[in-house]
Amino acid sequence: MMNRKKMEDVFRGIAVLLIGTAGISLASCGKTITYDPSKYVKLGDYSNLEVEISGNYSVDEAMASLIGSNAYIRDDSQTTVQEDSIVNVDYVGSQDGVPFDGGSAQDVTLDVKNNCNAGQTTGYIDGFTSGLVGATVGSTVDCNVTFPENYGVESLNGQTVVFTFTVNYIAKQMNLDEMTDEDIAANYGAQGYNSKADLKAAAEKQVNDTKDSDKRQAVISKMEEICEVTFPKGLLDQRVDDYIKRFKKSYLTDGQKLSDYLSQYGNSTEESFKDDVKTMVKHTLTDEMIFRAVAQKENLTVDETDFKSYLEQMKTSNNLKSDKELYEFFGKDEKAGEEYLRNMYLANKACDQIVKNAKVTETAETE
């Protein structure tokens, strides 16, 4: 079978339409099979549905996540570079006394112990930061460093050069309690955070978005449990075949065979690929039919202004410019595509209504 991580990448176009989809359409590109949802879906009692969600909904932890592990502040209590110091430097690399291209930088914060930029993992050449140990703030030190033989720059391959470091200050990692609005503006102003209030508002939005997504998925999963769905004859096979046709059109280039493309992601065969597609499409189609049945039962109608906003969202997520392109992407022709998207709009509306009325219990995330 295909590697699971690669499988998820390949199938990124099979996102459930009720949550929001991009990529390859699941609608029909051939003869459209229409159906009456009430004839194929037996709805369970979805009034005041009870669901449970579990996750990390801590605003403080979301704030910490937003600042990440690479926020550092000057620490004037430290004056000498230690083996595990975080140090801000300027440096110039020279070969035979002449600075070489790409060998100089200013205001760089280094993790001495791990020989990399602070908060990152990609390291410098061996020995780059080791000569800084013992240097004092304000001093200048020369460090001899030898490039690997296969460094990739002919003039530097295997050569010993001198890096001249000026130690600007020793730093320490910031935390939320120590951070001032000025610290936040200086480090995260480019990301739109100019104060702790900005950071908190962004974290709250992130947490609320996560909760909303978890609630929606919990409702969808619960509806799958309490409802019974049978597929109209030929519909599932049609959706599977249509998906595979669109997949080939989107991902195969220059006469590439599907088997060759799949081999890039593991040892999946065309048969197992089709089985995987069928499993995912079956899940998606089940949700589509359930919430279309709810929309029908609740007599939900299309709000044309809201529908236009829905179309704009769908055009953006699918990289399309016009309604006509969007309709033809989701149907065998413009008319079929519009009908399909109107049905999906109503399915989303039905899902929204159930989510709004659902009784949601939050539990602590388990490790």
Side-chain angles (χ1 to χ4, degrees):
M1 297 293 287
M2 188 180 294
N3 173 275
R4 176 51 53 184
K5 174 63 173 66
K6 294 297 184 182
M7 170 83 171
E8 290 171 356
D9 291 342
V10 170
F11 284 99
R12 59 187 176 273
I14 294 191
V16 177
L17 278 166
L18 296 167
I19 300 174
T21 187
I24 297 174
S25 164
L26 299 182
S28 173
C29 59
K31 182 179 179 181
T32 303
I33 298 177
T34 59
Y35 63 91
D36 178 350
S38 65
K39 294 181 179 180
Y40 297 95
V41 180
K42 182 179 179 182
L43 292 170
D45 182 7
Y46 56 83
S47 60
N48 300 314
L49 203 66
E50 294 185 7
V51 298
E52 183 178 295
I53 61 173
S54 176
N56 185 351
Y57 306 124
S58 166
V59 173
D60 286 343
E61 290 190 30
M63 290 176 70
S65 176
L66 287 173
I67 67 169
S69 60
N70 58 346
Y72 297 91
I73 189 171
R74 184 180 186 127
D75 182 6
D76 289 329
S77 69
Q78 300 185 63
T79 57
T80 303
V81 179
Q82 307 297 320
E83 290 183 355
D84 60 352
S85 290
I86 302 297
V87 57
N88 183 278
V89 300
D90 302 333
Y91 64 82
V92 176
S94 59
Q95 187 176 21
D96 298 327
V98 179
F100 56 84
D101 291 341
S104 303
Q106 293 182 317
D107 192 26
V108 178
T109 304
L110 300 175
D111 180 336
V112 175
K113 181 178 180 180
N114 294 305
N115 193 35
C116 63
N117 287 337
Q120 299 183 14
T121 57
T122 302
Y124 289 96
I125 57 176
D126 289 346
F128 181 72
T129 60
S130 57
L132 288 167
V133 178
T136 57
V137 173
S139 68
T140 299
V141 294
D142 289 338
C143 303
N144 292 330
V145 179
T146 301
F147 280 89
E149 292 288 348
N150 61 348
Y151 180 67
V153 178
E154 186 175 351
S155 61
L156 296 175
N157 289 340
Q159 298 298 305
T160 298
V161 302
V162 177
F163 281 99
T164 301
F165 292 92
T166 299
V167 180
N168 298 324
Y169 60 83
I170 298 173
K172 64 179 180 179
Q173 188 170 351
M174 289 195 294
N175 61 53
L176 287 170
D177 293 334
E178 295 174 319
M179 290 174 71
T180 64
D181 286 351
E182 289 75 18
D183 292 329
I184 294 171
N187 287 276
Y188 303 101
Q191 297 169 241
Y193 312 139
N194 293 297
S195 66
K196 193 169 286 190
D198 288 344
L199 197 64
K200 185 175 182 180
E204 288 176 341
K205 182 180 185 305
Q206 184 181 85
V207 168
N208 288 333
D209 287 347
T210 299
K211 278 187 180 180
D212 288 344
S213 177
D214 289 351
K215 289 176 185 177
R216 194 173 185 83
Q217 187 54 59
V219 163
I220 292 172
S221 296
K222 191 68 174 180
M223 290 295 286
E224 291 170 352
E225 289 179 19
I226 67 172
C227 300
E228 296 178 16
V229 176
T230 55
F231 296 128
K233 184 178 179 180
L235 181 59
L236 178 59
D237 288 338
Q238 181 195 62
R239 294 287 182 93
V240 170
D241 290 343
D242 287 340
Y243 177 84
I244 293 175
K245 288 177 184 177
R246 292 178 187 273
F247 183 95
K248 290 178 178 178
K249 183 177 179 180
S250 297
Y251 294 106
L252 305 187
T253 57
D254 300 325
Q256 184 182 27
K257 294 180 180 179
L258 179 61
S259 57
D260 293 336
Y261 181 90
L262 295 175
S263 68
Q264 298 175 20
Y265 296 93
N267 59 353
S268 181
T269 64
E270 291 190 48
E271 183 178 357
S272 63
F273 172 78
K274 185 172 181 178
D275 288 341
D276 290 332
V277 171
K278 188 170 185 176
T279 297
M280 291 187 175
V281 173
K282 183 176 181 180
H283 181 79
T284 302
L285 184 56
T286 297
D287 294 338
E288 171 192 322
M289 294 179 66
I290 288 172
F291 289 99
R292 280 192 60 189
V294 173
Q296 186 181 61
K297 181 178 180 180
E298 298 294 327
N299 295 314
L300 300 182
T301 57
V302 174
D303 179 307
E304 294 300 331
T305 300
D306 192 41
F307 181 61
K308 287 182 180 179
S309 297
Y310 175 75
L311 294 181
E312 290 303 314
Q313 178 187 345
M314 295 299 289
K315 282 187 288 189
T316 299
S317 63
N318 287 286
N319 226 7
L320 300 172
K321 294 181 179 180
S322 68
D323 289 355
K324 183 177 186 295
E325 285 181 304
L326 183 67
Y327 291 149
E328 291 178 347
F329 182 74
F330 280 96
K332 67 180 180 67
D333 54 35
E334 190 174 349
K335 181 179 179 181
E338 179 178 2
E339 182 180 0
Y340 177 76
L341 287 173
R342 284 180 176 273
N343 284 329
M344 295 318 302
Y345 166 86
L346 290 173
N348 272 282
K349 196 170 181 179
C351 187
D352 289 341
Q353 181 172 294
I354 297 175
V355 171
K356 182 179 179 181
N357 294 330
K359 179 181 178 182
V360 181
T361 303
E362 294 181 21
T363 60
E365 185 177 38
T366 57
E367 296 184 359

